[in-house]
Amino acid sequence: MHTDDDQIARAKTGDPDAWRELYRAHAGRLVVWLGTRPAGDCAVAPEDLAAEAWLVAAQRVADFTGSSEQFAGWLFGIARNLSSTTHRRSARRRTDPGLPETVELPAADEIGEADGRDWVRRALARLPPRERDVVACIDGVGLDVAATAEALGMSAVAVRVAHHRGLRRLRAVSVSEEGQSVAAASSRSR
């Protein structure tokens, strides 16, 4: 049986300092993780889903029992459910407005960083959803196996297996892209 630690007990009483600490510990990585999941609607930003997840967590914190570390898995599970609901709703209603007609280009110094993030998103998008979510949780935002299992509604063993398979697929993608880059560079130099 899990018992609440001090921080969770204080959060349940509405202590703003406890909520602030929880928010600092989990907010950034929650947004990053939600950015790795397909939203289904480009009008719904990861920040919007994260804000909604925090609202639901605040409403349901009385039902949560555990430590502040276990809170991450519970919070990410709420966010996963909200993300899935948004994706299904968008598919059903076909509410995705598509890309805007004008695209704002990043500044020159931001291009390298954007290219790296785009590569990561493209690589993760090639993985099956289960493996993508596990790799994003563990390697992308630093959740442990237990928190990832809680967030994704999986067993710890299934998380370890999906993580191993996902990393193996990512290595294969990376190696094949490297080989294509080398081949393309050598054909241009001829």
Side-chain angles (χ1 to χ4, degrees):
M1 180 173 144
H2 296 291
T3 59
D4 296 339
D5 65 9
D6 180 57
Q7 188 177 27
I8 296 299
R10 289 185 298 127
K12 285 183 175 186
T13 64
D15 181 352
D17 291 331
W19 279 103
R20 197 172 295 115
E21 292 169 22
L22 288 169
Y23 187 81
R24 281 188 195 124
H26 306 297
R29 59 189 189 160
L30 180 64
V31 172
V32 168
W33 180 70
L34 286 168
T36 67
R37 295 178 55 81
D41 187 343
C42 68
V44 178
E47 292 84 357
D48 298 332
L49 287 171
E52 193 173 348
W54 281 103
L55 179 62
V56 170
Q59 293 169 339
R60 295 186 185 162
V61 72
D63 298 333
F64 175 73
T65 303
S67 70
S68 52
E69 288 186 19
Q70 293 167 326
F71 180 83
W74 182 69
L75 176 68
F76 276 60
I78 291 169
R80 175 182 52 92
N81 290 338
L82 290 170
S83 175
S84 297
T85 300
T86 300
H87 192 279
R88 282 190 308 272
R89 183 183 316 123
S90 295
R92 187 175 57 246
R93 295 180 182 171
R94 296 187 179 108
T95 57
D96 188 357
L99 292 174
E101 290 186 26
T102 59
V103 176
E104 188 176 315
L105 296 175
D109 59 338
E110 296 174 358
I111 291 176
E113 186 178 330
D115 285 345
R117 284 192 305 257
D118 287 345
W119 182 88
V120 170
R121 283 191 183 110
R122 283 191 311 270
L124 286 174
R126 292 180 179 175
L127 296 177
R130 184 180 182 119
E131 293 171 13
R132 178 201 61 227
D133 287 345
V134 169
V135 169
C137 279
I138 293 174
D139 299 307
V141 296
L143 292 182
D144 62 12
V145 171
T148 300
E150 174 74 23
L152 301 178
M154 300 167 60
S155 71
V157 171
V159 166
R160 286 186 190 96
V161 170
H163 185 239
H164 174 75
R165 289 178 179 166
L167 291 179
R168 190 177 65 219
R169 288 180 205 259
L170 286 176
R171 277 192 285 281
V173 166
S174 178
V175 168
S176 71
E177 284 183 1
E178 259 181 44
Q180 291 172 358
S181 297
V182 170
S186 68
S187 69
R188 282 191 298 248
S189 65
R190 289 182 194 166

